Amino acid sequence: MIIIMKNNFSEKDLNEINLRLNESGLKGQKIEGTEKTVIAVVGPINPEHRDEFSRMDGVASVVRISKPYKLSSRETNDQDTVVKLPFNVQVGDGNFVVMAGPCSIENHDQLFETAQAVKSAGAHVLRGGAFKPRSSPYSFRGLGKEGLQLLSQARSKYNMPVITEVLSVRDVELVAQYSDILQIGARNMQNFILLDEVGKTGKPVMLKRALAGSIEEWLLASEYILSQDNPNVILCERGIRTFEQATRNTLDLAAIALVKQLSHLPVISDPSHGTGLWNLVEPMSLASVAAGADGLMIEVHPNPEVALSDGPQSLKPDNFKKLMDVASKLSDAVGKPMASLPY
Ligand code: PEP
Ligand code: MN
């Protein structure tokens, strides 16, 4: 439920409400909107609670949230979430943000060459995997800590925020030391203990949709992070499993448009994993812009033929530059111009 405060409520009113929420085993989160202040309440709520809180001082009304997900819902908060990153980059503020880089960090030169190329083409955030979730344990599983160190060197050299995946609770602290955004991969969308832990860091988290995750399950997963008092959640549509075999996954463009209506959280589209084919990345990037995405995540490799992971879906730097040029025209046309470059 949400408790909508009167315009003239006092701190004392808030304290009393919080006290009663605690006594009832409920948790309140204050959200200050442009017009009113509300308290989003989560926990085992019953109809008596609504009556009780609507009678308290300073309260204008109490409204039931009909959706199972609460903190992520526009019913609770209609103001778009803006996730602030270092180097003056923001996600979800009405400008378009591009995250790009290699699937896996393989070595110094591969990462730095890619970082240089994506930065000069206009990317805002550098991606690179150090802990890789691979279908086969015999595939390259990432450089681990050494990869994180390379990523943070590239961050300083190219002045861009970085994003990398955290695979397990064991590594949350380590990855949080090096990365500006913690990526939760598709395979971990419902690893609820991991979601709790990344939530507790307070750092921005990008939550990828699971291979077979429904939109409701995806938003409920975001709720685990949000309910740790961490509002810095970015969603990422990366394609779902369908019967179709011609593409690696089916990029769910309707999900992008729908989630923008259901939730105030920013939505990024990942057409690299969404299609698995580099020559579909540009058209599906443009389609994502049109569907209302707040940004893209694109895999780029200087030499995709020899990439240690996801070569077939990785763009060469010149194709990435081409994509940026056309995406920036389209993002202007839909009223969500490219964000200014990190500095
Ligand atoms: C990735 O971003 O490299 C990745 C493994 O993505 P996903 O979790 O969407 O498969
Ligand atoms: Mn990948």
Side-chain angles (χ1 to χ4, degrees), residues 103 127 132 248 273 299 309-310 313:
C103 176
R127 68 150 283 149
K132 296 302 303 175
R248 180 179 180 183
H273 294 88
E299 287 187 340
S309 62
D310 288 351
Q313 68 192 36

Side-chain angles (χ1 to χ4, degrees), residues 194-212:
L194 180 60
L195 299 178
D196 282 341
E197 291 306 308
V198 293
K200 284 182 202 157
T201 67
K203 284 208 139 191
V205 176
M206 187 168 89
L207 177 64
K208 290 189 133 194
R209 183 178 180 187
L211 282 73

Side-chain angles (χ1 to χ4, degrees), residues 101-123:
C103 176
S104 299
I105 299 162
E106 299 171 3
N107 55 59
H108 174 280
D109 290 357
Q110 172 250 14
L111 178 65
F112 279 59
E113 201 180 313
T114 313
Q116 152 74 47
V118 301
K119 173 85 192 268
S120 68

Side-chain angles (χ1 to χ4, degrees), residues 35-230:
E35 279 164 27
K36 49 192 179 199
T37 296
V38 307
I39 302 170
V41 181
V42 289
I45 296 163
N46 60 45
E48 288 81 60
H49 287 131
R50 281 198 289 282
D51 287 346
E52 178 189 347
F53 285 99
S54 63
R55 287 193 301 269
M56 289 186 77
D57 287 345
V59 174
S61 59
V62 176
V63 180
R64 181 173 175 266
I65 303 296
S66 58
K67 298 283 194 303
Y69 44 88
K70 311 286 179 191
L71 299 173
S72 59
S73 168
R74 282 205 182 271
E75 286 184 274
T76 304
N77 180 8
D78 195 27
Q79 244 172 276
D80 286 346
T81 287
V82 178
V83 176
K84 293 190 168 63
L85 302 174
F87 304 102
N88 297 294
V89 176
Q90 301 196 139
V91 184
D93 68 354
N95 294 305
F96 201 79
V97 167
V98 179
M99 309 181 181
C103 176
S104 299
I105 299 162
E106 299 171 3
N107 55 59
H108 174 280
D109 290 357
Q110 172 250 14
L111 178 65
F112 279 59
E113 201 180 313
T114 313
Q116 152 74 47
V118 301
K119 173 85 192 268
S120 68
H124 305 90
V125 177
L126 178 65
R127 68 150 283 149
F131 293 96
K132 296 302 303 175
R134 302 306 301 274
S135 300
S136 162
Y138 311 120
S139 302
F140 177 62
R141 294 170 68 179
L143 296 180
K145 184 171 178 182
E146 188 194 336
L148 296 176
Q149 287 166 337
L150 289 171
L151 190 62
S152 109
Q153 289 162 20
R155 175 187 191 273
S156 313
K157 173 147 189 203
Y158 297 103
N159 289 317
M160 16 178 9
V162 297
I163 177 168
T164 195
E165 178 164 354
V166 54
L167 264 187
S168 103
V169 169
R170 187 186 60 192
D171 301 322
V172 170
E173 216 182 300
L174 177 71
V175 176
Q177 279 168 29
Y178 290 96
S179 192
D180 300 301
I181 310 174
L182 305 174
Q183 175 172 320
I184 297 296
R187 290 154 194 82
N188 269 322
M189 186 195 88
Q190 289 188 311
N191 183 339
F192 301 121
I193 307 299
L194 180 60
L195 299 178
D196 282 341
E197 291 306 308
V198 293
K200 284 182 202 157
T201 67
K203 284 208 139 191
V205 176
M206 187 168 89
L207 177 64
K208 290 189 133 194
R209 183 178 180 187
L211 282 73
S214 70
I215 289 173
E216 187 170 297
E217 287 165 337
W218 188 18
L219 289 171
L220 280 169
S222 80
E223 215 67 20
Y224 277 83
I225 305 162
L226 295 168
S227 60
Q228 295 296 335
D229 286 330
N230 184 346

